[in-house]
Every structure is written in structure tokens, then in C-alpha cells.
């Protein structure tokens, strides 16, 4: 098991929907469009009934890492602090990409529009979508 997979396994018990929504609401602008979009894609893929248990465990670990207050690079600065988060989110997202459909993307985009409004960067969304 590589280092990132160990991190994901370690943090799956840290996931809570309340903590996820709180972190996203409070830090959306600081974390940036790619980070928030990736987290939302994972969350909505997790909520799908046809997402298998193994993929849901990956989502739990990935989002658990994202919401944990202490991680490899603390989320104190907007540019550097979320670098490790986007790496872990990307890994989790690519791993479960088969369960990210148009409905998942639509739900994620609705929330992004609420939080970012006119500041929403479509190029960032496209970059994340191209990884899938």
C-alpha cells in the first residue's frame, strides 16, 4: 500500500457530513474552486446508491483527510495549505471516477454557484473534469 492510500485509510473514521459542510462553507474561497469542486464530487458520488462499498470507503478516507484539522500541510495559508488536500482529493476522485456521473457534477456545481457566484472559474472545473 503506497503512502497516499495509507493516509486515506487512516482518515476514513474522521469523516462527518456536518464537519465537511462546515469546512466547505467556512473555507470555500480560501481552498479554491478545484479543491471545493473535488470535495463536492466525492461527496455526491458517495451519496449515490449504486456506488460500491469499496469506493465509499475511499471517499470517506479522502474527505476525512480533507476535513481533519491537522494534516501534512496545515490549511493556514490559501496557496500552500491546500496543496496536500488537492493531491489527496485528486487521488480519491480518480480512483472512483466511474461513479461520478452528470448528476453528481450537477449537484456539485449547484453548491459551487452558491459559494463562488461570479467568481466561479470554469477553467478550474474543466481541469478537474478532465482528470475523470
Amino acid at each position: 500500500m503506497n503512502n497516499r492510500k495509507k493516509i486515506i485509510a487512516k482518515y476514513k473514521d474522521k469523516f462527518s457530513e456536518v464537519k465537511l459542510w462546515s469546512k466547505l462553507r467556512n473555507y470555500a474561497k480560501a481552498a479554491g474552486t478545484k479543491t471545493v469542486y473535488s470535495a463536492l464530487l466525492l461527496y455526491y458520488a458517495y451519496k449515490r446508491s449504486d456506488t460500491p462499498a469499496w469506493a465509499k470507503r475511499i471517499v470517506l478516507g479522502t474527505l476525512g483527510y480533507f476535513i481533519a484539522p491537522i494534516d501534512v500541510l496545515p490549511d493556514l495559508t490559501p496557496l500552500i495549505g491546500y496543496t496536500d488536500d488537492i493531491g489527496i482529493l485528486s487521488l480519491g476522485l480518480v480512483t472512483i471516477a466511474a461513479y461520478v456521473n452528470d448528476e453528481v457534477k450537477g449537484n456539485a456545481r449547484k453548491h459551487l454557484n452558491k459559494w463562488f457566484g461570479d467568481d466561479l472559474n470554469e477553467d478550474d472545473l474543466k481541469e478537474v473534469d478532465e482528470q475523470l
Side-chain angles (χ1 to χ4, degrees):
M1 186 183 300
N2 71 30
N3 195 31
R4 287 189 183 195
K5 287 182 183 179
K6 287 179 187 176
I7 290 171
I8 289 172
K10 176 181 173 184
Y11 283 93
K12 78 176 180 187
D13 294 335
K14 307 281 189 238
F15 175 78
S16 121
E17 286 190 43
V18 171
K19 289 180 182 177
L20 174 67
W21 289 115
S22 176
K23 180 150 186 177
L24 288 173
R25 270 192 308 276
N26 294 325
Y27 297 101
K29 295 271 184 171
T33 310
K34 286 183 202 177
T35 303
V36 175
Y37 185 49
S38 297
L40 289 170
L41 290 173
L42 285 161
Y43 173 75
Y44 285 113
Y46 171 80
K47 298 300 277 183
R48 288 183 62 193
S49 60
D50 59 339
T51 299
W54 68 263
K56 289 185 178 199
R57 285 191 299 274
I58 288 171
V59 171
L60 292 179
T62 303
L63 292 177
Y65 181 86
F66 174 66
I67 64 176
I70 298 174
D71 54 30
V72 176
L73 293 172
D75 303 332
L76 303 174
T77 60
L79 296 175
I80 299 169
Y82 290 98
T83 305
D84 62 320
D85 292 308
I86 193 64
I88 295 294
L89 290 169
S90 295
L91 174 69
L93 199 51
V94 168
T95 305
I96 64 129
Y99 306 100
V100 177
N101 62 10
D102 289 338
E103 180 183 2
V104 168
K105 290 177 185 178
N107 287 332
R109 284 174 178 264
K110 280 183 203 172
H111 269 93
L112 285 173
N113 284 323
K114 286 182 198 175
W115 292 326
F116 289 92
D118 292 337
D119 294 333
L120 187 62
N121 185 335
E122 283 293 326
D123 290 336
D124 285 347
L125 302 185
K126 287 178 188 174
E127 191 175 321
V128 172
D129 286 341
E130 286 172 2
Q131 290 180 1
L132 302 176

